[in-house]
Amino acid sequence: MSDTSTPGPARVHTSIDPRSDVQILEDRIFPKQWQGAPLYSCPTDGKEHNRLDYQHEMIKHLLGDSLYPNPDVVKKALSLDADSTPNIVDIGTGSGVWAIEMARQFPHANVLGCDIVLPNHPGDALPGNCRFEFLDINKDMNNLQTIFNVVHWRLVEPVTLDSDQFFYDVARILRPGGVLIAIAANPRLLDKTGAVIPLKPQGDPEYCHFQHLMKRVHDYQYAEGPPRMIHSLWNQIIGSNPNFKDFKVQEFLIPPGPWETELTEERRKLAEMMNENSLRVVRSLAAGLRAQGKWPLDEINALEEGSLKEYRELLPCIHAYTKWVFATAVRTDSAWSARTKPWEVPEGFGPEDHIIPPLIP
């Protein structure tokens, strides 16, 4: 499948909001705090925002053309209330497309998109009930007030240093009955049981360039600091938080290309969209690794080109799955309880496990 196709709505972000603090590395835009701080491996420029827009369409398709999982709960939280205007916050808004579409779907609500690099949308493309503000998820959560009916946190887990504290912060800013929407993805290739496929050395017939590209990302982004990719433990972390109730989680194993022998029309479309998204992800990750400068350029370039070939030609090494996890939790009616002690990483859960364990049932 060609990586030049652009199905879905065309959106072009040509600039970054001037309030954002960015730098140019290897002809791509990165947030300044990215350099020297292994938090986010991808650029934050117009090309990346276009990728995020495409990924947004893919996620909607996965959710049955919905902007959110568990729609009954979300719609209830945003129902018209004569006493107050519903408020929505999208933390880690990226291109801002989710915030904009939510503002259009719920014109009676106010929508706030937050990030450390803000999109710059033309005035006529931005609904009057949507705005964007700078927010560092690891430093600025205390700046948000207790006014929100929905908090959306999609694929921001890798840059959230303390997910447990973040969930307590979310509970503080949610109104009673408000909803947390948490979405994560395991970027590694998995087998049909959800287990990570082991790396094979170069020269092995089952060697996979993409797996080794992801290993470089892992070694830079996740190998230092506290565990961050811990969606496999959300049922423990969110489930034990006294501020939430009705925790629900869905997980999907999606092939990164239409390689399965028997595919329904919907499954094929989803697999094709995942394939296109994977091609774009490869380019973004490789750009980040080149800008970081830890490995020789020839090595990263070879891994990028090999990965693109694997996805374009649906080679056997990517006859696998990626895992996508969607969770919701409802804020209780009780007064907010602050965290009394930090969540402790389970014994035996080490750096290599940040993105490896399958979801615990």
Side-chain angles (χ1 to χ4, degrees):
M1 180 178 179
S2 170
D3 62 317
T4 59
S5 61
T6 55
R11 301 183 180 91
V12 179
H13 305 283
T14 57
S15 61
I16 297 296
D17 190 289
R19 292 170 291 176
S20 302
D21 196 14
V22 299
Q23 60 186 336
I24 307 297
L25 297 170
E26 298 288 326
D27 295 324
R28 300 297 301 270
I29 298 175
F30 293 88
K32 279 190 176 179
Q33 78 168 57
W34 176 86
Q35 191 173 33
L39 292 180
Y40 190 61
S41 298
C42 295
T44 52
D45 51 17
K47 288 182 180 179
E48 180 65 7
H49 283 181
N50 286 340
R51 183 190 74 80
L52 293 175
D53 284 347
Y54 185 87
Q55 183 172 263
H56 169 79
E57 295 299 322
M58 182 192 72
I59 293 172
K60 279 203 307 183
H61 184 74
L62 178 58
L63 292 174
D65 201 31
S66 175
L67 289 169
Y68 36 81
N70 208 354
D72 291 343
V73 170
V74 174
K75 289 178 180 178
K76 180 180 179 180
L78 295 173
S79 60
L80 288 169
D81 186 335
D83 296 329
S84 61
T85 299
N87 291 289
I88 302 166
V89 61
D90 183 21
I91 298 178
T93 195
S95 70
V97 62
W98 187 89
I100 290 172
E101 292 192 10
M102 285 293 286
R104 291 172 178 157
Q105 185 172 136
F106 298 95
H108 62 283
N110 295 319
V111 184
L112 171 65
C114 298
D115 214 321
I116 61 171
V117 176
L118 302 180
N120 195 12
H121 291 271
D124 58 356
L126 195 63
N129 60 329
C130 181
R131 73 186 194 279
F132 297 105
E133 292 185 1
F134 179 92
L135 181 134
D136 185 329
I137 192 172
N138 296 307
K139 299 178 181 178
D140 301 330
M141 287 296 293
N142 287 336
N143 295 342
L144 297 176
Q145 299 177 337
T146 308
I147 60 171
F148 295 101
N149 299 73
V150 168
V151 174
H152 183 250
W153 183 65
R154 183 170 77 182
L155 304 178
V156 193
E157 186 184 36
V159 301
T160 306
L161 291 177
D162 187 341
S163 293
D164 180 47
Q165 180 59 57
F166 171 74
F167 293 138
Y168 274 89
D169 292 336
V170 168
R172 181 187 60 78
I173 67 175
L174 276 173
R175 292 168 169 166
V179 177
L180 161 67
I181 303 172
I183 300 174
N186 189 325
R188 301 283 284 274
L189 294 178
L190 314 175
D191 66 20
K192 63 182 180 180
T193 71
V196 170
I197 298 173
L199 289 171
K200 300 296 192 302
Q202 196 164 11
D204 189 291
E206 297 182 7
Y207 176 84
C208 181
H209 290 83
F210 177 72
Q211 284 186 298
H212 283 267
L213 181 73
M214 283 307 308
K215 181 63 166 61
R216 302 301 185 276
V217 174
H218 173 272
D219 288 346
Y220 176 65
Q221 185 172 351
Y222 305 120
E224 297 180 5
R228 298 194 297 279
M229 297 289 283
I230 52 178
H231 49 263
S232 60
L233 303 175
W234 279 356
N235 63 333
Q236 298 178 26
I237 300 171
I238 303 177
S240 64
N241 189 314
N243 299 293
F244 288 109
K245 63 180 181 179
D246 299 337
F247 172 72
K248 294 182 179 180
V249 64
Q250 297 171 280
E251 60 174 300
F252 300 89
L253 288 177
I254 307 301
W259 59 265
E260 293 175 314
T261 54
E262 295 184 7
L263 288 168
T264 64
E265 182 178 346
E266 286 298 305
R267 180 78 167 177
R268 175 175 293 279
K269 181 178 179 180
L270 181 59
E272 290 175 346
M273 295 182 79
M274 186 68 72
N275 183 266
E276 175 68 25
N277 186 59
S278 298
L279 288 162
R280 298 180 185 206
V281 167
V282 165
R283 288 206 164 97
S284 291
L285 293 175
L289 290 172
R290 279 191 291 267
Q292 190 274 328
K294 185 176 180 179
W295 289 276
L297 289 179
D298 289 347
E299 178 182 340
I300 300 305
N301 291 341
L303 289 174
E304 178 185 22
E305 288 306 311
S307 299
L308 293 174
K309 178 181 174 66
E310 288 162 357
Y311 280 104
R312 288 192 194 107
E313 300 181 13
L314 299 181
L315 298 181
C317 68
I318 61 103
H319 289 195
Y321 300 89
T322 58
K323 179 178 286 185
W324 293 73
V325 182
F326 299 81
T328 57
V330 178
R331 178 70 170 89
T332 66
D333 295 334
S334 303
W336 178 69
S337 296
R339 185 171 73 168
T340 56
K341 64 177 182 178
W343 176 77
E344 295 183 2
V345 178
E347 184 177 353
F349 191 81
E352 287 295 323
D353 296 314
H354 292 196
I355 56 176
I356 287 179
L359 188 70
I360 299 174

